[in-house]
Structure formats: structure tokens, C-alpha cells
Amino acid sequence: MLDRQPSVKGPADWFTGDVYFDVIAPGTQTRGKVNTVHFAPGARTAWHRHANGQTLHVTEGVGLTQSRGGEVVTIHPGQTVWCPPGEWHWHGASPETFMTHLAIWDGLAEGQDGPETEWGEQVTDVENGQRS
């Protein structure tokens, strides 16, 4: 059994607002990684992409997600979203609610080049559905 690590506050260059995550499976025994990610109202990731894709499963609250060039999609508890390999996307809490999701992804395979996750620019309040 793994010792539980303390919750970690997400770095400001990856997130807007208060975001905390708990590492469930750090990917030390396998490539599979799982975090529980907790977003305060309006908090969100920056645009980013994963070399091997990412699965998001909402466990509470109301979330928003968007693929580059696509529409903002509202996600609710019990819903799962797949972000394909290399797809730029963001996700976070709606402006009015907290949101928690499981973030599930694979680390780089042996011999696979490139960053596991690549971070881009911050998502604006307008992109996140907030009014300026």
C-alpha cells in the first residue's frame, strides 16, 4: 500500500485560480498515472496537450472543457471526456461551482520522444465563460 502524499497546489503557470491535486497513481510501477484534481469556481488549466492523451472523469461539481477550435462543453459528475494524443485542450470548474475530476494518462513509453505534457498559454476569462 502506498503512503498518501499531501495535496499539492497547482503551479500558476499551469493553472488559473486555486487548483489542488492528489496523486493516486504516480506511474512509478507502470506508465499509468492518475490524479484527483480539485478546482475552485472558475479555476482552470492553461491550454495543454498530452503525448498519449488524457481521460477526465468528473466526480463532483460542474466542469468545462474545450479542444482548440471547438465549443466549450459542460461536464457533470459521472461523465468522462477523452482528449486524444497531441490535442490542445483545457478543463476546469464552471465560474459558479467547484469541480473535481480524475485525470488519467499514460507517461511516455520506452523510446518515446517529447514531453509527456506540453503547457501553453493561459485560458482567458472569456474562453472560460466569465464576463469581463
Side-chain angles (χ1 to χ4, degrees):
M1 184 170 186
L2 296 173
D3 289 330
R4 177 125 185 157
Q5 299 174 354
S7 296
V8 176
K9 183 166 180 25
D13 53 335
W14 293 359
F15 300 98
T16 297
D18 290 330
V19 178
Y20 289 82
F21 58 93
D22 296 298
V23 176
I24 304 297
T28 54
Q29 303 291 323
T30 67
R31 287 181 32 224
K33 299 181 181 192
V34 181
N35 289 347
T36 301
V37 188
H38 313 275
F39 295 82
R44 62 222 178 240
T45 68
W47 286 101
H48 64 288
R49 60 184 175 180
H50 300 272
N52 295 317
Q54 180 182 45
T55 299
L56 308 171
H57 180 79
V58 178
T59 59
E60 69 177 324
V62 178
L64 302 172
T65 186
Q66 181 182 28
S67 297
R68 180 84 72 190
E71 296 292 320
V72 175
V73 176
T74 301
I75 46 179
H76 298 278
Q79 291 184 309
T80 301
V81 175
W82 166 243
C83 304
E87 176 185 83
W88 285 99
H89 67 281
W90 66 268
H91 40 93
S94 74
E96 299 84 23
T97 63
F98 286 88
M99 189 270 289
T100 300
H101 70 54
L102 295 174
I104 307 161
W105 73 103
D106 281 337
L108 297 176
E110 187 174 329
Q112 186 178 10
D113 290 329
E116 182 177 301
T117 303
E118 184 179 354
W119 292 93
E121 69 276 7
Q122 295 292 336
V123 173
T124 68
D125 285 348
V126 172
E127 287 173 309
N128 190 47
Q130 297 183 38
R131 303 294 174 245
S132 49

